[in-house]
Amino acid sequence: MRKTFLLLLAAMFVTNSYAEEKWTSLFNGKNLRGWKVMNGKAEFKVINGVIVGTTKRNTPNTFLATTKNYGDFILELEFMVDNGLNSGIQFRSNSLKTYRNGTVHGYQFEIDPSDRAWTGGIYDEQRRGWLYDMENNPSAKTAYKPAEWNKVRIEAIGNNIRTYVNGIPCADIVDETTASGFIALQVHGIGSNGKEGQNVRFRNIRIMTEDLLVNSWNTPDKVIPQLNCMDNKLTEREEADGWKLLFDGKTSTGWRGAKMATFPTKGWIIEDGVLKISKSDGRESANAGDIVTVDKYSEFELVVDFLITEGANSGIKYYVDCDLNKGEGSAIGCEYQILDDEKHPDAKLGVKGNRTLASLYDLIPAIQNKPFKGVGTWNRARIVAKGNKIEHWLNGVLCVSYERNTQMWRALVAYSKYKNWPNFGEMEYGNILLQDHGDEVWFKNIKIKDLKNQ
Amino acid sequence: MRKTFLLLLAAMFVTNSYAEEKWTSLFNGKNLRGWKVMNGKAEFKVINGVIVGTTKRNTPNTFLATTKNYGDFILELEFMVDNGLNSGIQFRSNSLKTYRNGTVHGYQFEIDPSDRAWTGGIYDEQRRGWLYDMENNPSAKTAYKPAEWNKVRIEAIGNNIRTYVNGIPCADIVDETTASGFIALQVHGIGSNGKEGQNVRFRNIRIMTEDLLVNSWNTPDKVIPQLNCMDNKLTEREEADGWKLLFDGKTSTGWRGAKMATFPTKGWIIEDGVLKISKSDGRESANAGDIVTVDKYSEFELVVDFLITEGANSGIKYYVDCDLNKGEGSAIGCEYQILDDEKHPDAKLGVKGNRTLASLYDLIPAIQNKPFKGVGTWNRARIVAKGNKIEHWLNGVLCVSYERNTQMWRALVAYSKYKNWPNFGEMEYGNILLQDHGDEVWFKNIKIKDLKNQ
């Protein structure tokens, strides 16, 4: 059923092309003119009109790269890969002496014949890692056909990159990191013990660089999830969908101190598109103090990327009433806990882990196997509040769900450290808060969608 | 809409009569032949073919009773009552020297022109009080027309009693307390300060005593709720609806000690249709011990009538695992707390009232204003478990609702005294338990409906 639907869609895209398609071949079928080998020592040969790459031990990834650079383009080719061999197609990629001593880096169309089946995903080689793995679009995991020629299409047009495998839309990102670079075919490194002599084959490589918009297959909205890889910027789709940035990457607009009318003059720093709370003495809201949104929110979807330094403690609070706590300490509200569970002692306190990362602080522990990417790395917190139902997500995984304004909620609060705050977590509107807990924590990509009137 | 529907139903009932109706008039329209005044001193007169009763100070309820007794019958009459005056029609009623010195007692068709609007309800005069108040059937509260002649129909056939006001079905009970007695018109006592000279008028009083079943209006199932006023016995409707008695009123069949294979030989007593745990030393399950159902239940509706003595503590547990607690004390499960909140110290312990009557013990407090009828009186506990959603009811009012097998549930349990019992409250099947807490508590009308396969 789903397959039929996808094939139908693919057919629609094909018939959608109405301008003349001006293709240029990148491979003459005879030799590797216009290509050069980079980084590793695996071999590329032309055999019967096919470029054949062969694995070799004790050499890193090897790339057969175009000598020319390409910015906006539509690229098509076919590949066939031996089972067990990972490969990929670089695009808008570069090799710079100033960056990791010439290592090829940039966008890679993933070729992954393993059970994971992420073929068609987009990996940022030697840079940010996965931009779009196929768990984002699992129905397209079956697009790749093992031990057959598979047809690849990559559309890189402006800040939008889309991939297709055998006509099935696979990945879709919006990113602005690199506008131009070479195209390169990968033979993956196999270390010192991998199987030598495995092959990946490429043929019928052609590129279009004109009339791209009219020839784009234009994956429609909602057919596959589009991921925004830009910092502090909304995609057109996000804007149309009602998302608003809570942090513009440059100024403190929209924020104030939790216990003051203006933004704190110390402790909170904005640099390189990142909002940072500086290290002080580890106490709660005792130095720079918490900051809150100027606006209040009722039902919402909130996304915050955060990066914690070793041993750090912070948090994202919602349904905050800044007027409640007149004394010392943080303003009162429901808290998505941000913590280095390994190094901060609070992770061991509380009850059954209800003070660990992504937990509803002091109330509900996050699930066991949280997909935390680690200290010093960006992680994505997501909080969904619809009606009285609340969810805490971490890096795409649901970690906590609960329902406030219920007897269970009040019974649970009555046991917690919030027991004496009247109406805790039950207000209709509250501020969003970022916590100063005296540790250095970074924030970016803070955005919110109002669900109240949807 | 609802009114039209009820009128339509009423019309259906009328056309349903197909046997000849053999009515006998109970009032000749001229004098009170066949009637006698009882108990009070209020006056009854015949004026223009109407019996007029008039209020009088400093006299108790006055009744104008038939000299003849009636068992099974259909009675019809019309009444008109002054605003503010409560009245009623006794039936299957008696006056016995051996019972409260001849006080008229028994079933009363309620006449209630107050805002409460319980006209058509059934009150057990000088005995059990309300058997069927009109909160059980609120849509029929508008059947009574103020300052007009209202038509009453009472059907008393076997153990089933039904009332109608102006053709609208009002009350429906199944009861076996009294099979026969007189019919009597009430002038309510007004004490020493009530308004003298207020009137209640009756006319066109007729009775049928043959071919009752075929002439019955036969209120269909589900049109109005039928209440079971019998002890330890199911109505036909309850049986058809899947209810099972868990206590037959005479034996311990279906029960065993929570920590033994048989029923306890001391402490638990069955007398007069009541299952009683005897007073011992107030300790938890230390003497007779708790009893549990032999069978286990998953999703169910459970009804238990209980009566507590002063200062008593007990409980109804469900999802009980008898094998969990190998040590002293009660078997482990979710507990509908039974407690004299006024006199037992545990009511003040726990957190925010989570150990008071009808609470989920140590977890979720029952609502404030619980409709507890008091110590020494029968109260009805009802527990509904459907899917993971559980409800505690007391005397028809929802006191606790929660959802087990959720993150909130586990977070709440983690704070409670159950924190160290694995899988607390999350099992699919468990026993039902009645607790011995060393205090005298009575139980009857213990019945259950399996909701698992509905």
Side-chain angles (χ1 to χ4, degrees):
Chain A
M1 185 71 180
R2 178 179 289 276
K3 204 166 171 182
T4 314
F5 173 68
L6 288 173
L7 287 172
L8 203 70
L9 267 177
M12 280 169 53
F13 301 155
V14 172
T15 58
N16 202 28
S17 311
Y18 47 85
E20 196 192 346
E21 297 189 346
K22 293 179 193 151
W23 292 103
T24 302
S25 182
L26 291 184
F27 168 47
N28 61 19
K30 295 169 196 154
N31 55 44
L32 296 179
R33 191 164 304 149
W35 298 83
K36 61 176 175 179
V37 175
M38 302 181 75
N39 287 188
K41 288 179 178 157
E43 230 178 351
F44 288 91
K45 284 187 181 166
V46 178
I47 303 172
N48 297 330
V50 173
I51 297 174
V52 180
T54 305
T55 54
K56 188 181 171 74
R57 285 186 183 156
N58 301 312
T59 178
N61 288 335
T62 310
F63 298 95
L64 182 68
T66 58
T67 51
K68 238 181 112 181
N69 278 0
Y70 297 91
D72 286 9
F73 62 83
I74 296 173
L75 174 75
E76 285 192 352
L77 58 77
E78 291 170 294
F79 74 90
M80 178 155 62
V81 66
D82 285 356
N83 236 338
L85 181 60
N86 186 285
S87 188
I89 301 152
Q90 296 290 137
F91 55 97
R92 286 186 181 176
S93 290
N94 289 280
S95 166
L96 306 170
K97 279 194 181 145
T98 53
Y99 186 82
R100 297 189 185 176
N101 198 27
T103 295
V104 169
H105 63 278
Y107 306 102
Q108 181 186 109
F109 172 99
E110 172 76 2
I111 294 175
D112 177 12
S114 75
D115 289 346
R116 189 177 66 171
W118 284 1
T119 297
I122 301 172
Y123 183 78
D124 199 8
E125 175 78 9
Q126 291 288 337
R127 205 160 47 182
R128 291 168 294 176
W130 283 105
L131 299 180
Y132 199 107
D133 71 44
M134 293 311 295
E135 304 311 322
N136 288 293
N137 182 20
S139 69
K141 283 185 173 193
T142 54
Y144 167 75
K145 303 296 171 202
E148 288 180 26
W149 284 103
N150 287 269
K151 193 159 185 179
V152 170
R153 183 180 173 102
I154 301 168
E155 298 189 357
I157 306 171
N159 63 11
N160 188 202
I161 297 169
R162 297 166 184 189
T163 68
Y164 300 82
V165 173
N166 298 319
I168 309 294
C170 289
D172 187 340
I173 63 170
V174 180
D175 189 51
E176 295 180 328
T177 307
T178 311
S180 171
F182 51 72
I183 289 156
L185 313 175
Q186 184 190 41
V187 172
H188 209 286
I190 54 169
S192 53
N193 291 309
K195 194 171 170 190
E196 284 203 321
Q198 283 205 297
N199 293 323
V200 54
R201 302 162 198 83
F202 302 93
R203 71 180 187 190
N204 297 333
I205 309 169
R206 61 182 190 168
I207 198 163
M208 191 193 307
T209 56
E210 292 172 48
D211 299 326
L212 298 177
L213 282 176
V214 292
N215 284 303
S216 164
W217 284 358
N218 274 321
T219 322
D221 266 13
K222 315 288 180 196
V223 169
I224 70 167
Q226 181 182 75
L227 299 193
N228 178 0
C229 301
M230 302 182 293
D231 275 348
N232 306 313
K233 212 165 164 180
L234 298 175
T235 66
E236 279 177 29
R237 288 192 196 179
E238 286 174 324
E239 276 182 11
D241 203 28
W243 286 91
K244 309 273 181 205
L245 282 181
L246 284 182
F247 170 53
D248 63 13
K250 295 166 200 142
T251 73
S252 64
T253 304
W255 296 86
R256 63 174 176 87
K259 294 178 183 178
M260 58 182 95
T262 56
F263 197 79
T265 52
K266 59 167 189 177
W268 289 92
I269 297 165
I270 296 169
E271 55 185 12
D272 298 332
V274 176
L275 174 61
K276 304 176 180 178
I277 175 64
S278 312
K279 174 87 185 151
S280 54
D281 59 1
R283 278 189 298 149
E284 180 185 287
S285 203
N287 294 280
D290 304 336
I291 57 171
V292 294
T293 54
V294 171
D295 292 333
K296 295 188 177 191
Y297 298 91
S298 177
E299 301 180 58
F300 57 84
E301 183 176 349
L302 172 71
V303 166
V304 179
D305 288 349
F306 65 92
L307 178 152
I308 53 178
T309 55
E310 193 175 292
N313 185 349
S314 183
I316 305 161
K317 296 191 183 186
Y318 49 98
Y319 300 122
V320 170
D321 181 346
C322 295
D323 299 328
L324 208 52
N325 179 10
K326 304 284 189 196
E328 290 191 349
S330 196
I332 301 304
C334 301
E335 181 177 0
Y336 182 114
Q337 168 79 327
I338 292 179
L339 198 78
D340 179 356
D341 288 350
E342 303 264 310
K343 299 278 175 69
H344 195 287
D346 209 21
K348 306 280 184 296
L349 303 177
V351 169
K352 297 206 176 170
N354 67 9
R355 296 188 181 180
T356 62
L357 176 67
S359 296
L360 176 66
Y361 185 73
D362 207 50
L363 291 162
I364 304 177
I367 56 163
Q368 300 283 316
N369 309 310
K370 287 170 292 195
F372 179 54
K373 293 182 181 171
V375 160
T377 306
W378 285 104
N379 289 272
R380 176 158 289 184
R382 182 164 160 257
I383 301 168
V384 184
K386 181 68 184 161
N388 288 319
K389 295 191 173 169
I390 317 286
E391 296 172 346
H392 287 190
W393 295 72
L394 176 65
N395 297 323
V397 172
L398 180 60
C399 291
V400 167
S401 63
Y402 67 96
E403 193 170 359
R404 66 194 189 114
N405 289 321
T406 61
Q407 276 184 303
M408 280 185 88
W409 170 254
R410 287 186 279 272
L412 180 58
V413 170
Y415 264 122
S416 78
K417 66 191 280 185
Y418 301 110
K419 61 183 165 223
N420 293 324
W421 296 111
N423 206 31
F424 177 81
E426 305 215 27
M427 61 189 57
E428 193 180 352
Y429 286 85
N431 304 85
I432 310 285
L433 176 149
L434 298 178
Q435 194 182 40
D436 163 27
H437 212 298
D439 295 321
E440 184 174 346
V441 177
W442 298 5
F443 301 96
K444 69 176 181 181
N445 298 332
I446 310 172
K447 47 193 176 184
I448 197 162
K449 181 177 166 182
D450 189 346
L451 302 180
K452 180 73 175 174
N453 301 309
Q454 286 208 323
Chain B
M1 185 68 179
R2 175 179 290 276
K3 203 165 170 182
T4 315
F5 173 69
L6 289 173
L7 287 172
L8 204 70
L9 267 177
M12 280 169 53
F13 302 154
V14 172
T15 57
N16 201 27
S17 311
Y18 47 85
E20 196 192 347
E21 297 189 346
K22 294 179 194 153
W23 291 104
T24 302
S25 181
L26 291 184
F27 168 47
N28 61 20
K30 294 169 198 154
N31 55 45
L32 297 180
R33 191 164 304 149
W35 299 82
K36 61 177 175 180
V37 176
M38 301 181 75
N39 286 186
K41 288 179 178 157
E43 230 177 352
F44 288 92
K45 283 184 182 171
V46 177
I47 303 172
N48 297 329
V50 173
I51 297 174
V52 180
T54 305
T55 54
K56 189 180 170 76
R57 284 186 183 156
N58 301 312
T59 178
N61 288 336
T62 310
F63 296 96
L64 180 69
T66 58
T67 51
K68 239 181 112 178
N69 277 1
Y70 298 91
D72 285 10
F73 62 83
I74 297 173
L75 174 74
E76 285 190 351
L77 59 77
E78 291 170 294
F79 74 89
M80 179 156 61
V81 66
D82 285 358
N83 236 336
L85 180 60
N86 185 286
S87 188
I89 302 153
Q90 297 292 136
F91 55 96
R92 287 186 180 174
S93 290
N94 289 281
S95 165
L96 306 169
K97 277 195 183 144
T98 52
Y99 186 82
R100 296 190 185 175
N101 199 26
T103 294
V104 170
H105 63 279
Y107 306 103
Q108 181 186 109
F109 172 99
E110 172 77 1
I111 295 175
D112 178 12
S114 76
D115 289 346
R116 189 178 66 171
W118 284 1
T119 296
I122 300 172
Y123 183 79
D124 199 9
E125 175 79 9
Q126 292 287 338
R127 206 160 47 183
R128 291 168 294 176
W130 283 104
L131 301 180
Y132 199 106
D133 70 44
M134 294 310 296
E135 303 312 322
N136 288 294
N137 182 20
S139 69
K141 283 184 173 195
T142 54
Y144 166 76
K145 303 295 171 202
E148 288 181 26
W149 284 103
N150 287 270
K151 192 159 186 180
V152 170
R153 183 179 173 103
I154 301 168
E155 298 190 355
I157 306 170
N159 64 10
N160 188 201
I161 297 169
R162 298 166 185 190
T163 68
Y164 300 82
V165 174
N166 298 318
I168 309 294
C170 289
D172 186 342
I173 63 170
V174 179
D175 190 51
E176 295 181 327
T177 307
T178 311
S180 170
F182 51 72
I183 288 156
L185 313 175
Q186 184 190 42
V187 172
H188 208 286
I190 54 168
S192 54
N193 290 309
K195 195 171 169 190
E196 284 204 320
Q198 282 205 296
N199 293 323
V200 55
R201 302 162 197 82
F202 301 93
R203 72 180 186 189
N204 297 332
I205 309 170
R206 62 182 190 169
I207 199 163
M208 190 193 309
T209 55
E210 290 173 48
D211 300 325
L212 298 178
L213 282 176
V214 292
N215 283 304
S216 163
W217 284 358
N218 274 322
T219 320
D221 264 13
K222 314 289 181 197
V223 169
I224 71 168
Q226 180 181 76
L227 298 193
N228 178 1
C229 301
M230 302 182 293
D231 275 349
N232 306 314
K233 212 166 165 178
L234 297 175
T235 66
E236 280 177 27
R237 288 193 195 179
E238 285 174 326
E239 276 181 10
D241 203 27
W243 285 91
K244 308 273 181 206
L245 281 181
L246 283 181
F247 171 54
D248 62 13
K250 294 166 200 143
T251 72
S252 63
T253 305
W255 296 86
R256 64 174 176 87
K259 295 179 182 176
M260 58 181 97
T262 56
F263 197 78
T265 52
K266 60 168 189 175
W268 288 92
I269 298 165
I270 295 168
E271 56 184 10
D272 298 331
V274 176
L275 174 61
K276 304 177 180 177
I277 175 64
S278 312
K279 174 87 184 151
S280 54
D281 60 2
R283 279 188 299 150
E284 181 186 287
S285 203
N287 295 281
D290 303 337
I291 56 171
V292 295
T293 54
V294 172
D295 292 332
K296 295 187 178 194
Y297 298 91
S298 177
E299 300 180 59
F300 57 84
E301 184 176 348
L302 172 72
V303 166
V304 179
D305 287 349
F306 65 92
L307 178 152
I308 53 179
T309 55
E310 192 174 292
N313 186 350
S314 183
I316 305 162
K317 295 192 183 186
Y318 49 98
Y319 299 123
V320 170
D321 180 348
C322 294
D323 298 327
L324 209 53
N325 180 10
K326 304 282 188 199
E328 291 191 349
S330 195
I332 301 304
C334 301
E335 181 177 1
Y336 182 114
Q337 167 79 327
I338 293 179
L339 198 79
D340 180 357
D341 289 350
E342 304 263 311
K343 298 278 174 68
H344 195 287
D346 210 21
K348 306 281 183 296
L349 302 178
V351 168
K352 295 206 177 171
N354 67 8
R355 296 188 182 180
T356 61
L357 176 67
S359 296
L360 176 65
Y361 184 73
D362 208 52
L363 290 163
I364 304 176
I367 55 163
Q368 300 282 315
N369 311 311
K370 286 170 291 195
F372 179 53
K373 292 182 181 170
V375 160
T377 305
W378 286 103
N379 289 273
R380 176 158 288 186
R382 181 165 160 258
I383 301 169
V384 184
K386 181 69 184 159
N388 287 320
K389 294 191 174 171
I390 317 287
E391 295 173 345
H392 287 190
W393 294 72
L394 175 65
N395 297 322
V397 172
L398 180 59
C399 291
V400 167
S401 63
Y402 67 96
E403 193 171 357
R404 66 192 189 114
N405 289 321
T406 60
Q407 278 184 302
M408 279 185 88
W409 170 254
R410 287 186 279 271
L412 180 58
V413 169
Y415 264 121
S416 78
K417 68 192 280 185
Y418 300 111
K419 61 183 165 223
N420 293 324
W421 296 112
N423 206 31
F424 178 81
E426 305 215 27
M427 60 188 57
E428 193 180 352
Y429 285 85
N431 305 84
I432 310 284
L433 176 150
L434 297 178
Q435 193 182 43
D436 164 28
H437 212 299
D439 294 321
E440 183 174 345
V441 178
W442 299 5
F443 300 97
K444 68 177 182 181
N445 298 332
I446 310 172
K447 48 192 177 184
I448 197 162
K449 181 178 167 182
D450 189 346
L451 302 180
K452 180 73 174 173
N453 302 310
Q454 287 209 322

